[in-house]
Protein backbone atom coordinates (compact mmCIF):
# COMPACT_ATOMS: atom_id res chain seq x y z
CA UNK A 1 0.00 0.00 0.00
CA UNK A 2 1.37 3.38 -0.87
CA UNK A 3 0.12 4.93 2.36
CA UNK A 4 -1.90 3.82 5.34
CA UNK A 5 -2.43 4.65 8.95
CA UNK A 6 -3.27 2.45 11.90
CA UNK A 7 -5.42 3.04 14.90
CA UNK A 8 -7.47 1.54 17.66
CA UNK A 9 -11.02 2.09 18.77
CA UNK A 10 -12.85 0.65 21.76
CA UNK A 11 -16.13 -1.07 20.93
CA UNK A 12 -18.17 -3.16 23.37
CA UNK A 13 -15.32 -2.79 25.87
CA UNK A 14 -12.79 -4.33 23.46
CA UNK A 15 -9.91 -2.48 21.82
CA UNK A 16 -10.08 -3.20 18.09
CA UNK A 17 -7.19 -2.39 15.76
CA UNK A 18 -7.51 -1.28 12.15
CA UNK A 19 -5.36 -0.22 9.21
CA UNK A 20 -6.81 2.38 6.84
CA UNK A 21 -5.67 3.71 3.48
CA UNK A 22 -7.72 6.88 3.90
CA UNK A 23 -8.63 9.65 1.51
CA UNK A 24 -11.88 11.18 0.41
CA UNK A 25 -12.99 8.07 -1.48
CA UNK A 26 -15.85 5.61 -1.01
CA UNK A 27 -15.19 3.47 2.09
CA UNK A 28 -14.75 -0.29 1.93
CA UNK A 29 -14.40 -2.36 5.12
CA UNK A 30 -12.52 -5.65 4.82
CA UNK A 31 -13.35 -8.41 7.33
CA UNK A 32 -10.83 -11.28 7.57
CA UNK A 33 -11.26 -14.98 8.28
CA UNK A 34 -10.53 -17.05 11.37
CA UNK A 35 -6.92 -17.07 12.60
CA UNK A 36 -5.98 -14.21 10.27
CA UNK A 37 -5.76 -10.44 10.67
CA UNK A 38 -6.78 -7.34 8.76
CA UNK A 39 -3.47 -7.09 6.91
CA UNK A 40 -4.21 -10.36 5.10
CA UNK A 41 -6.14 -8.01 2.79
CA UNK A 42 -2.96 -6.11 1.77
CA UNK A 43 -2.91 -7.39 -1.86
CA UNK A 44 -6.58 -6.43 -2.26
CA UNK A 45 -5.93 -3.04 -0.66
CA UNK A 46 -3.03 -2.41 -3.02
CA UNK A 47 -5.28 -3.15 -5.99
CA UNK A 48 -8.14 -0.93 -4.78
CA UNK A 49 -6.53 1.93 -2.83
CA UNK A 50 -6.48 4.36 -5.77
CA UNK A 51 -10.29 4.39 -5.82
CA UNK A 52 -11.39 3.42 -2.30
CA UNK A 53 -10.73 4.21 1.36
CA UNK A 54 -10.00 0.70 2.66
CA UNK A 55 -10.39 -0.20 6.31
CA UNK A 56 -8.86 -3.53 7.39
CA UNK A 57 -10.10 -4.42 10.87
CA UNK A 58 -8.50 -6.98 13.19
CA UNK A 59 -11.46 -8.85 14.72
CA UNK A 60 -11.47 -9.47 18.47
CA UNK A 61 -8.89 -12.10 19.36
CA UNK A 62 -6.98 -11.55 16.12
CA UNK A 63 -4.01 -9.45 15.05
CA UNK A 64 -3.42 -6.44 17.29
CA UNK A 65 -6.95 -6.36 18.76
CA UNK A 66 -7.72 -7.39 22.34
CA UNK A 67 -8.57 -11.04 22.98
CA UNK A 68 -11.24 -11.25 25.68
CA UNK A 69 -12.28 -14.62 27.08
CA UNK A 70 -15.79 -14.37 25.58
CA UNK A 71 -17.66 -12.59 22.82
CA UNK A 72 -16.91 -14.67 19.74
CA UNK A 73 -20.39 -15.27 18.33
CA UNK A 74 -21.21 -13.78 14.94
CA UNK A 75 -23.73 -11.49 16.65
CA UNK A 76 -21.05 -10.06 18.93
CA UNK A 77 -18.47 -9.75 16.18
CA UNK A 78 -21.05 -8.09 13.92
CA UNK A 79 -21.69 -5.61 16.74
CA UNK A 80 -17.94 -5.01 16.98
CA UNK A 81 -17.68 -4.34 13.24
CA UNK A 82 -20.70 -2.04 13.33
CA UNK A 83 -19.07 -0.16 16.21
CA UNK A 84 -15.82 0.31 14.29
CA UNK A 85 -17.77 1.61 11.29
CA UNK A 86 -19.66 4.06 13.53
CA UNK A 87 -16.55 5.20 15.41
CA UNK A 88 -14.77 5.96 12.13
CA UNK A 89 -17.81 7.87 10.85
CA UNK A 90 -18.18 5.68 7.76
CA UNK A 91 -21.48 6.10 5.94
CA UNK A 92 -22.89 2.97 4.31
CA UNK A 93 -19.54 1.44 3.39
CA UNK A 94 -19.24 -1.61 1.21
CA UNK A 95 -18.16 -4.52 3.39
CA UNK A 96 -16.19 -7.46 2.01
CA UNK A 97 -15.94 -10.51 4.24
CA UNK A 98 -13.98 -13.73 3.85
CA UNK A 99 -14.71 -16.95 5.78
CA UNK A 100 -15.44 -15.93 9.41
CA UNK A 101 -15.45 -12.32 8.20
CA UNK A 102 -18.07 -13.31 5.64
CA UNK A 103 -20.28 -14.72 8.38
CA UNK A 104 -19.70 -11.58 10.42
CA UNK A 105 -20.56 -9.42 7.41
CA UNK A 106 -23.73 -11.38 6.72
CA UNK A 107 -24.76 -11.13 10.38
CA UNK A 108 -24.04 -7.39 10.35
CA UNK A 109 -26.22 -6.92 7.25
CA UNK A 110 -29.07 -8.78 8.93
CA UNK A 111 -28.80 -7.14 12.33
CA UNK A 112 -27.90 -3.62 11.15
CA UNK A 113 -29.43 -3.37 7.66
CA UNK A 114 -28.87 0.40 7.44
CA UNK A 115 -25.11 0.12 8.00
CA UNK A 116 -23.69 -1.51 4.85
CA UNK A 117 -24.10 0.07 1.45
CA UNK A 118 -23.27 -3.31 -0.09
CA UNK A 119 -21.80 -6.61 1.01
CA UNK A 120 -19.53 -9.03 -0.79
CA UNK A 121 -19.02 -12.49 0.70
CA UNK A 122 -16.18 -14.81 -0.19
CA UNK A 123 -16.31 -18.36 1.16
CA UNK A 124 -18.50 -17.33 4.10
CA UNK A 125 -19.28 -19.89 6.76
CA UNK A 126 -22.82 -21.08 7.44
CA UNK A 127 -24.74 -19.32 10.16
CA UNK A 128 -26.02 -21.09 13.21
CA UNK A 129 -29.22 -20.52 15.20
CA UNK A 130 -27.14 -19.76 18.30
CA UNK A 131 -25.75 -16.70 16.54
CA UNK A 132 -29.24 -15.20 16.55
CA UNK A 133 -30.97 -16.21 19.82
CA UNK A 134 -33.99 -13.99 19.17
CA UNK A 135 -34.80 -16.06 16.06
CA UNK A 136 -35.65 -18.95 18.36
CA UNK A 137 -38.10 -16.99 20.52
CA UNK A 138 -40.90 -17.36 17.98
CA UNK A 139 -40.49 -21.12 17.69
CA UNK A 140 -39.75 -22.37 14.20
CA UNK A 141 -36.78 -20.86 12.44
CA UNK A 142 -38.13 -19.92 8.97
CA UNK A 143 -34.83 -20.55 7.20
CA UNK A 144 -34.36 -24.00 8.76
CA UNK A 145 -38.00 -24.89 8.06
CA UNK A 146 -37.60 -23.89 4.42
CA UNK A 147 -34.33 -25.83 4.18
CA UNK A 148 -36.01 -28.89 5.69
CA UNK A 149 -38.83 -28.71 3.14
CA UNK A 150 -36.34 -28.41 0.29
CA UNK A 151 -34.44 -31.46 1.53
CA UNK A 152 -37.57 -33.63 1.23
CA UNK A 153 -37.62 -33.23 -2.56
CA UNK A 154 -35.12 -34.73 -4.98
CA UNK A 155 -32.42 -32.07 -5.55
CA UNK A 156 -33.34 -31.35 -9.17
CA UNK A 157 -37.00 -30.83 -8.27
CA UNK A 158 -36.55 -28.68 -5.16
CA UNK A 159 -35.76 -25.47 -6.97
CA UNK A 160 -38.60 -25.88 -9.47
CA UNK A 161 -41.11 -26.83 -6.79
CA UNK A 162 -40.08 -23.82 -4.72
CA UNK A 163 -40.60 -21.56 -7.71
CA UNK A 164 -44.00 -23.13 -8.43
CA UNK A 165 -45.05 -22.54 -4.81
CA UNK A 166 -43.90 -18.93 -5.02
CA UNK A 167 -41.13 -19.23 -2.42
CA UNK A 168 -38.48 -16.55 -2.53
CA UNK A 169 -35.61 -16.81 -0.09
CA UNK A 170 -35.15 -13.55 1.77
CA UNK A 171 -32.00 -13.87 3.88
CA UNK A 172 -32.44 -12.49 7.37
CA UNK A 173 -35.92 -11.18 6.70
CA UNK A 174 -36.88 -12.87 9.98
CA UNK A 175 -34.02 -11.22 11.89
CA UNK A 176 -34.91 -7.57 11.36
CA UNK A 177 -38.15 -6.02 12.49
Amino acid sequence: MSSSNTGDTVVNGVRLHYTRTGGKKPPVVLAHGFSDAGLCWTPVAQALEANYDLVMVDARGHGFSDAPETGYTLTEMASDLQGVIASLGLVRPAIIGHSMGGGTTLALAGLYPNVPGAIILEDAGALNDTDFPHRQEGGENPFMARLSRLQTYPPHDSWLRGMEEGHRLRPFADVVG
Side-chain angles (χ1 to χ4, degrees), residues 24-28 47-54:
K24 294 189 184 296
K25 299 174 261 186
V28 176
L48 299 176
E49 69 181 325
N51 298 310
Y52 299 96
D53 172 15
L54 300 149

Side-chain angles (χ1 to χ4, degrees), residues 145-165:
R146 192 172 291 144
L147 180 62
S148 177
R149 284 193 301 273
L150 291 175
Q151 290 174 341
T152 63
Y153 303 124
H156 64 282
D157 290 342
S158 63
W159 183 80
L160 289 174
R161 185 163 319 228
M163 295 303 287
E164 290 168 3
E165 294 173 4

Side-chain angles (χ1 to χ4, degrees), residues 16-125:
L16 298 171
H17 183 78
Y18 63 89
T19 302
R20 185 175 187 180
T21 60
K24 294 189 184 296
K25 299 174 261 186
V28 176
V29 175
L30 303 165
H32 64 80
F34 179 73
S35 79
D36 222 325
L39 287 177
C40 74
W41 289 102
T42 298
V44 173
Q46 290 170 331
L48 299 176
E49 69 181 325
N51 298 310
Y52 299 96
D53 172 15
L54 300 149
V55 180
M56 297 163 278
V57 180
D58 291 347
R60 63 170 59 210
H62 295 78
F64 294 108
S65 290
D66 286 346
E69 291 292 320
T70 61
Y72 294 91
T73 67
L74 291 179
T75 300
E76 291 161 314
M77 292 189 296
S79 178
D80 290 348
L81 194 56
Q82 181 275 332
V84 170
I85 290 167
S87 73
L88 295 177
L90 304 178
V91 178
R92 298 194 52 83
I95 305 172
I96 303 174
H98 169 254
S99 189
M100 175 191 79
T104 301
T105 299
L106 194 54
L108 182 143
L111 294 167
Y112 308 97
N114 295 324
V115 171
I119 63 170
I120 299 172
L121 307 176
E122 199 270 315
D123 197 22

